[in-house]
Amino acid sequence: MIGRLRAIGAFWYDFVVGDDWRIAVAVVAALGATYGVSRLVPAWWLLPAAVGLVLPWSLVRARRRPRGSGSAAVRRRG
C-alpha cells in the first residue's frame, strides 16, 4: 500500500513539477494572480501574458544548460 501511494505521489510530482520547479511555481503564481485580479477587473489576459513571459524564460534556461544534463527524468534514470 505504501509503495502504491509513493508511486502516485511520484507521478503527480513529476506531472506537476516536471523538469523545472521554477515553471511550476510561476504557473501557480500566475493562477493565483489571475484569481486575485479577477476579483477586481476582468483578468482573462493575465494567464496568457504569464505564459508569454515564462515560456521564453524556460527556453533560455534550457538552452543554457550544459549538454548531457538533460531533463530531470533523464537525470534520475541515468
Side-chain angles (χ1 to χ4, degrees):
M1 182 70 175
I2 296 297
R4 287 185 180 181
L5 289 175
R6 188 172 290 163
I8 290 170
F11 165 77
W12 280 108
Y13 178 83
D14 197 39
F15 183 73
V16 173
V17 175
D19 292 337
D20 193 354
W21 63 268
R22 293 169 190 90
I23 301 302
V25 170
V27 168
V28 169
L31 287 172
T34 301
Y35 174 74
V37 171
S38 72
R39 309 289 282 174
L40 304 172
V41 295
W44 61 266
W45 52 269
L46 191 55
L47 203 54
V51 169
L53 292 173
V54 171
L55 184 60
W57 175 58
S58 173
L59 292 174
V60 167
R61 285 181 37 82
R63 182 77 176 132
R64 288 184 181 166
R65 277 188 201 148
R67 288 184 181 260
S69 63
S71 68
V74 172
R75 284 192 300 266
R76 278 187 294 240
R77 283 185 225 134

